[in-house]
Amino acid sequence: QTQENFFRFPLAIEVYEGTKKKRYEVWVDEKSKSFSFKYTNKPDLVNVDADRIILAEINDEKSVENLVHLYQNGSKYEDRREAIEGLSNFQDNEMAFKTLTDALSDSFYGLRILAIDEIDLSNAKAKGAIKAIEGLAANDEKTLVRAKAIDKLETFENPDYIKLFNSSLSRNSSAVKGSALKALYKLDREAAMAFASSLDNDLEKESLKAALVPVYIIDKTDDEIPFVASNLIEGIFFSEDKEKVNIYKEGFQWVADTDNEEATQNLVDSFVQLGVQYKQYGSDVAAKQALSVILMRKKESNYENKDALVKIVQDGLDKLN
C-alpha cells in the first residue's frame, strides 16, 4: 500500500492442487506483506481474496490454465466471472475457447449472458458455441438470456434464423420481442414492419421502444414520427452504442425537417425537459443548440404551417431562456 495511513485487514487465500483446496486466512498489517505456503505439487491456482470482499485493485496475471481451473473449481460467482472475462483474451487457445463454450450453460443466468457477450463466434472452433447459442435463443428459461442470444445471432444475418426470430415475436417478454424485431428487420423487412404495425397498445409500444424507434427511423415510417420524436433524447445522449447514436441522430434530422406539428412539439418538449432536468450539467446549453438547429430548419422550410412550426420551437427556446 502506498498511502501513509494504510489499511489493516484479513485476507483469505486458497491454494489448489488439482481439485484439492487449502485455505489460508492471513492478516495484512503492514504496507507490504509477504506470505509463504507449503505445497506438495505445483499449485494449479492461487486464489487471492477468495471471499471477494476486499475493495482493492489486485494485480494477478493468471495463465489460461489458472483461469480454466478457476472457472471449473471456484466456489463463487465472482470466480467464474473473472475466469470468463480473462479467458475472452485467449480465444485462440483451444482450452480457453472450450471453457467459454461451457460457460454458455452456466447455472447462473448472468454468467450465461456474459459468456454470450464475450465469446467470438468467428472463431474456427465456434460451431458448437453457435449451436449452444441457438438453443439459448429458443429455449433458455431466462428471457434476458434469450434476448442476448438473439442479439448475438443477429450479427450473422442468416436467413435460416427467420423462423426463430418470427416465433420469438410471440413471446411475452419485451426484451425477447425487441431483440427479435431488430434481428428480423435485417432479414425480412415486411414481416418486421407488419409486426410493428400490429402494435396498437401504447404500453406495449413503450415497452418495445428501444427496438421500434430505430426501425421506424430506418424505415421512415411517417405515421410513427410523433412516437419517434418523443424517444430520441435517450438514444442521442444516453447511449454508448455508436451505431445506435448515429441512427438516433438521423432520426433527429428527420424530425427537424418534418412539417408534422405533433412530432415537432414532442421533440421540443423532450429537449426542454432535458435542459431543465440536467441544467447543472450544462444540458440546457446543448438543448438550446439543438432547438436552434430545429428553428433554422423550420424557418428555411416552405411548409404551409411554417409559422406554427416556428412558434412551437421558439416557445421551447423561450422556456429554456
Side-chain angles (χ1 to χ4, degrees):
Q1 302 181 71
T2 57
Q3 65 272 31
E4 183 176 348
N5 298 315
F6 59 89
F7 292 95
R8 298 170 176 82
F9 55 90
L11 181 65
I13 300 174
E14 294 177 342
V15 180
Y16 288 81
E17 295 182 42
T19 58
K20 186 179 178 181
K21 175 179 67 177
K22 287 186 178 180
R23 179 182 174 90
Y24 301 91
E25 295 184 359
V26 298
W27 190 262
V28 177
D29 53 8
E30 299 176 21
K31 284 189 175 184
S32 178
K33 190 82 180 244
S34 298
F35 305 97
S36 299
F37 311 106
K38 292 182 179 180
Y39 59 86
T40 304
N41 300 302
K42 180 181 177 181
D44 295 284
L45 172 68
V46 177
N47 194 17
V48 178
D49 186 26
D51 292 333
R52 304 287 181 165
I53 60 173
I54 305 301
L55 182 61
E57 179 181 343
I58 298 177
N59 296 317
D60 183 7
E61 296 184 7
K62 292 183 174 69
S63 67
V64 168
E65 290 76 15
N66 294 154
L67 290 166
V68 169
H69 201 84
L70 181 63
Y71 182 80
Q72 294 175 344
N73 298 281
S75 58
K76 291 186 172 293
Y77 157 85
E78 293 87 353
D79 293 330
R80 304 203 303 281
R81 182 179 183 88
E82 179 188 345
I84 292 170
E85 291 175 338
L87 290 169
S88 68
N89 298 314
F90 302 99
Q91 299 201 40
D92 289 337
N93 181 287
E94 186 173 352
M95 187 188 307
F97 194 81
K98 181 183 183 305
T99 305
L100 287 174
T101 302
D102 291 343
L104 295 169
S105 303
D106 195 279
S107 59
F108 186 73
Y109 79 94
L111 294 180
R112 296 200 295 278
I113 290 175
L114 178 63
I116 293 170
D117 258 338
E118 296 289 353
I119 199 162
D120 179 7
L121 296 185
S122 67
N123 193 301
K125 301 180 285 291
K127 185 176 180 180
I130 293 170
K131 187 173 181 61
I133 291 174
E134 290 171 353
L136 295 176
N139 302 310
D140 197 274
E141 63 179 352
K142 294 292 186 179
T143 58
L144 292 179
V145 176
R146 290 207 301 268
K148 180 60 70 172
I150 291 171
D151 289 340
K152 195 76 170 185
L153 296 177
E154 174 192 342
T155 61
F156 287 107
E157 297 189 28
N158 185 344
D160 291 344
Y161 294 139
I162 289 178
K163 183 177 179 180
L164 169 63
F165 297 156
N166 261 314
S167 64
S168 297
L169 291 175
S170 63
R171 300 279 191 173
N172 292 327
S173 164
S174 295
V176 173
K177 286 181 183 177
S179 293
L181 177 61
K182 290 187 296 179
L184 184 62
Y185 184 82
K186 293 182 177 181
L187 298 170
D188 189 342
R189 175 192 166 277
E190 290 187 5
M193 295 312 299
F195 172 80
S197 299
S198 71
L199 301 172
D200 54 7
N201 184 309
D202 289 342
L203 289 177
E204 188 171 19
K205 285 181 67 176
E206 184 67 18
S207 70
L208 292 173
K209 64 182 181 181
L212 286 171
V213 172
V215 166
Y216 288 148
I217 292 172
I218 295 170
D219 206 67
K220 294 296 185 288
T221 309
D222 286 331
D223 290 345
E224 298 296 341
I225 194 169
F227 178 77
V228 169
S230 296
N231 294 287
L232 287 174
I233 293 293
E234 182 178 346
I236 295 174
F237 292 100
F238 301 104
S239 174
E240 296 181 357
D241 184 332
K242 291 183 179 180
E243 182 180 358
K244 180 178 180 180
V245 170
N246 289 335
I247 292 174
Y248 276 67
K249 285 182 177 179
E250 181 182 337
F252 172 83
Q253 302 295 341
W254 180 34
V255 178
D257 289 332
T258 188
D259 65 343
N260 188 302
E261 293 180 27
E262 181 184 0
T264 302
Q265 186 68 65
N266 290 349
L267 184 60
V268 169
D269 288 346
S270 65
F271 271 107
V272 170
Q273 181 180 355
L274 174 76
V276 172
Q277 186 173 356
Y278 299 103
K279 184 175 182 178
Q280 60 179 318
Y281 304 110
S283 62
D284 57 326
V285 176
K288 290 175 187 177
Q289 290 173 341
L291 291 184
S292 296
V293 171
I294 300 172
L295 182 62
M296 180 183 68
R297 296 289 185 88
K298 303 305 184 187
K299 286 182 175 180
E300 292 176 348
S301 72
N302 295 314
Y303 296 132
E304 291 182 1
N305 61 340
K306 173 180 174 178
D307 291 343
L309 295 169
V310 168
K311 185 178 186 305
I312 291 171
V313 184
Q314 188 60 63
D315 286 347
L317 277 167
D318 291 343
K319 290 177 181 178
L320 289 173
N321 290 324

